């Protein structure tokens, strides 16, 4: 091994790293966060393992059992497996639904707030996605029922924590409709899954994320609020039968089968999820969710108090705002000059802040003072 050839690479690598935005200093719009040290350690330790061949690595099976027990406590079902995130989970959910669709039409219905990965899933699967207009509100169950009657879809997708505004669709009521008309209901709780149950339990929001009657599958991500290195998601099913419909033969591996979309997948993803739950438990997420909810409300109040800005009261932990005169692109560009990165919220013609575990009062102060500068408010 010629170590001298490594040194120049290290030099470049470190320079590139130093030019990468850091979550705690700069990132306010992305659903990614700085992974927790324990999650990173577990991920690295198990990075040689392959989840698609779990029989070869028995300790992974032990971890999977324990992680699924946590899922059962949180959502009421512990039947499922680790995925690369909600994009994979959403594709798999619709694949499963269509495999079981019987004589139903090729339509999927969803509120227009649904994540783009569901559009992608339908492009890949060749289904037709019909969107129910919501005007940036949780979907009206009555509209869902009308669409079900009219189009006889093979699946309904709703969201617990929409990407732009953090809205929670009414899972219990849509579940009742799915059950009555015997339609597959998938709940996309990618971002909200680790937040909503704790806000609900404290009475801060009206909707929970749970396997209510009629829910067939649920997707939750751990590489978002869960602070596990990506890729780390889970798909859950209401029964083993449904889960089986998402599995395929793979005769050359020890288990002989393989569930989900991907082949080889990093066992570190599961180890990371396991380590976070085992070391910090549900109490950590309970505390973080409440903290994030309060912080979102605080940011809302502070942004609203700046002349020219209008913020929308956050439904959960995502907050969108706009300026009366300045377009979103202009605001994003001026913030980026100050190394603050937010995302667009096209449905309200504004920009958005996603409160994540790396947020601090200092980061929020930096945002607020930058917005004052940008809008021409005199400082001090
Ligand atoms: C982030 C997100 C997705 C996509 O998940 P990935 O983990 O990026 O594949 C899907 N749906 C919702 C609601 C999301 O927030």
């Amino acid at each position: 091994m010629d170590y001298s050839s490594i040194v120049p690479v290290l030099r470049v690598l470190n320079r590139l790293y130093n030019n990468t935005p850091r979550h705690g200093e700069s990132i306010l719009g992305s659903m990614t966060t700085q992974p927790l040290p324990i999650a990173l350690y577990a991920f690295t330790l198990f990075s040689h393992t392959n989840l698609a061949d779990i029989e070869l690595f028995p300790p992974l099976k032990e971890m999977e059992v324990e992680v699924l027990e946590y899922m059962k406590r949180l959502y009421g079902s512990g039947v499922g497996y680790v995925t690369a995130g909600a994009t994979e989970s959403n594709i798999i959910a619709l694949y499963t639904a269509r495999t079981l669709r019987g004589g139903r039409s090729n339509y999927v219905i969803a509120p227009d707030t649904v994540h783009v990965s569901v559009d992608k899933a339908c492009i890949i699967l060749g289904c037709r996605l019909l969107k129910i207009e919501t005007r940036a509100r949780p979907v009206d169950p009555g509209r869902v029922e009308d669409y079900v009657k009219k189009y006889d879809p093979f699946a309904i997708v709703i969201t617990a924590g929409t990407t732009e505004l953090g809205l929670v669709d009414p899972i219990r009521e849509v579940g009742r409709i799915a059950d009555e008309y015997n339609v597959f209901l998938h709940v996309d709780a990618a971002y909200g899954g680790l937040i909503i149950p704790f806000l609900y339990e404290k009475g801060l929001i009206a909707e929970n994320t749970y396997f209510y009657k009629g829910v067939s599958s649920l997707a939750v991500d751990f590489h978002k609020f869960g602070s596990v290195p990506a890729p780390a998601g889970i798909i859950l099913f209401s029964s083993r039968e449904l889960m089986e419909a998402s599995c395929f033969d793979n005769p050359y591996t020890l288990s002989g089968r393989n569930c989900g979309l991907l082949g080889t997948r990093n066992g570190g993803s599961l180890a990371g999820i396991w380590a976070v739950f085992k070391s910090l438990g549900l109490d950590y997420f309970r505390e973080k969710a409440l903290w994030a909810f309060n912080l979102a409300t605080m940011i809302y109040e502070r942004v609203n108090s700046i002349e020219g800005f209008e913020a929308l009261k956050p439904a959960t932990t995502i907050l969108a705002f706009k300026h009366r005169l300045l377009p979103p692109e202009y605001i994003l560009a001026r913030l980026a000059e100050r190394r603050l990165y937010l995302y667009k919220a096209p449905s309200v013609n504004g920009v958005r802040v996603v409160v994540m575990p790396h947020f601090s009062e200092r980061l929020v102060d930096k945002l607020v003072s930058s917005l004052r500068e940008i809008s021409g408010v005199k400082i001090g």
Side-chain angles (χ1 to χ4, degrees), residues 20-38:
T20 311
R22 238 61 101 214
H23 282 89
E25 326 250 289
S26 289
I27 301 179
L28 295 112
S30 165
M31 286 183 173
T32 58
T33 195
Q34 177 63 34
L36 287 162
I38 183 72

